[in-house]
Amino acid sequence: MNQKATLKYGEKSYSMPIVEGTYGEQAFDVRSLRKDTGLITLDSGYMNTGSTKSQITYINGEEGVLLYRGYPIEQLAEASTFVETSYLLIYGELPTPTQLQAFSELLTYHSMLHEDMRHLYDGFPSNAHPMAILSSMVSALSAYYPDSLEPDTHDEHHIGRVLSKVRTIAAFTYQKQHGRPVAYPRNELNYCANFLHMMFSHPAEQTYEPDPELVKALNVLLILHADHEQNCSTSTVRLVGSSRANLYAAISAGISALWGPLHGGANQAVIGMLEEIRAEGGDCSAFIRQVKNRERRLMGFGHRVYKNFDPRASILKTYADRLLSHLELKDELFDIARQLEEVALSDEFFIDRQLYPNVDFYSGILYRAMGIPTEMFTVMFAIGRIPGWIAHWKEMMEDPDLRIGRPRQIYMGAKRRDYVSTEERHPRSP
Ligand code: CMC
């Protein structure tokens, strides 16, 4: 398609190409706009900026559609595993049985941490947030694998390492913070079962055998978090990677971006909010009134892209129900979450603003049921998001048009002025 758009400014008109995606979504290609007109586009928060073309994930926020490499998220959650979905995201196709086996073996091969890395844990305070430890440890991996510092390294082993070791780092953090020795990975266990083993094995107890229902729920959770195109953390990974920083540095930056309460930190904030509502007597309508008065924010609701429903939230609600009944657990917070959803979805404030539960609304309920503590929730999100970050980093590094990411700005500060010595400076009036 060679369609062009015309922009009129003053006496002149400029033309720019239109780019069209697989599903017909269109964009003005503004790359030559500054060269042609001297003007830039201004878009704080990137509400309307496409930073790249990508073949990895498709989202239709109006219709609640999420596809990884063309496959609907509902089908992957039902039938795939996290390892298979990771392969799909990173390499573009579902693996053959031989490819899947080789990929699983790669992850098993890289599941241990360098023994010296265990000593790094001793330097953290016992109450350090697990996300601080995760981002530091992932960044530290580059020190142990210095060949990753070579620009344009695409060694499959680095991909395998980061994907495999994040769960070991996370589980070691948990065990250390509970004053227990770490549990080393067991090669005969699959990715998710191995993680549960490393988290919950106790040296004084019998060999931990992960419950298949927990393993299935964890696979689903990780699959649902595995990619979400150009969100804040993925854009961070791309921006850092665009300077040709190594994979570990780029992923570590993504982990830091994910930490914020408006992004991956929301799953932890949701549980905090539900606990507050419970402590205040469980009155969801009163809480919603406060949200509408802008005294509080309904965490786990709203999304920059989904303006109808978040398909991940619907799947997780079903799995939360399923896991709680399998474990014969009653969770008051789940009841409050369901009531809150019901009250919010019938309220004009939320309807008008198209605010619906997002992936974080029910994920915490599932993690709680698995025995994962609240401060680890965002770490769980990070483990799930690793394949997406790798896939975007790889796609970007293989793009022959790759250029360093470098937005521009409109300067609104003081005009040029001369330096004044300290003695001559007069205190500003308050
Ligand atoms: N509770 C109350 N009001 C809200 C909420 C909310 N959760 N989300 C948006 N609004 C209101 C907001 O106040 C604004 O109202 P008005 O136009 O009257 O000022 C309107 O809805 C539009 O909101 P926005 O902040 O302009 O929307 P955004 O696209 O910039 O922000 C968001 C998206 C996800 C940051 C936001 O909805 C939010 O803060 N949600 C709560 C945090 C959360 O659950 N984050 C997880 C997102 S999904 C997973 C992930 O990406 O990590």
Side-chain angles (χ1 to χ4, degrees), residues 282-284 332 334-344 362:
D283 186 348
C284 293
E332 270 181 89
F334 187 38
D335 298 336
I336 294 174
R338 278 194 290 216
Q339 282 171 39
L340 209 50
E341 180 183 354
E342 205 177 300
V343 177
Y362 286 110

Side-chain angles (χ1 to χ4, degrees), residues 292-339:
K292 287 159 62 174
N293 289 338
R294 298 173 195 282
E295 292 156 28
R296 291 164 108 167
R297 185 157 272 246
L298 180 49
M299 300 309 287
F301 253 67
H303 200 277
R304 174 63 61 81
V305 180
Y306 292 118
K307 299 298 174 198
N308 183 331
F309 69 98
D310 180 340
R312 304 168 300 173
S314 321
I315 298 170
L316 285 180
K317 189 178 180 186
T318 311
Y319 271 91
D321 240 338
R322 181 171 143 176
L323 192 65
L324 288 177
S325 67
H326 168 75
L327 298 172
E328 297 180 6
L329 283 177
K330 173 112 188 68
D331 189 346
E332 270 181 89
L333 298 193
F334 187 38
D335 298 336
I336 294 174
R338 278 194 290 216
Q339 282 171 39

Side-chain angles (χ1 to χ4, degrees), residues 64-75:
V65 174
L66 172 59
L67 310 177
Y68 293 166
R69 301 283 188 183
Y71 296 99
I73 192 67
E74 293 81 2
Q75 292 181 19

Side-chain angles (χ1 to χ4, degrees), residues 349-363:
F349 178 94
F350 298 90
I351 297 169
D352 288 351
R353 290 170 179 74
Q354 300 177 300
L355 301 173
Y356 298 87
N358 60 48
V359 69
D360 291 317
F361 197 64
Y362 286 110
S363 61

Side-chain angles (χ1 to χ4, degrees), residues 36-63:
D36 297 343
T37 66
L39 275 71
I40 61 165
T41 55
L42 182 63
D43 182 19
S44 308
Y46 310 123
M47 302 283 288
N48 200 47
T49 292
S51 59
T52 187
K53 294 181 203 163
S54 177
Q55 300 182 0
I56 300 168
T57 288
Y58 173 72
I59 302 175
N60 180 329
E62 276 68 40
E63 291 175 20

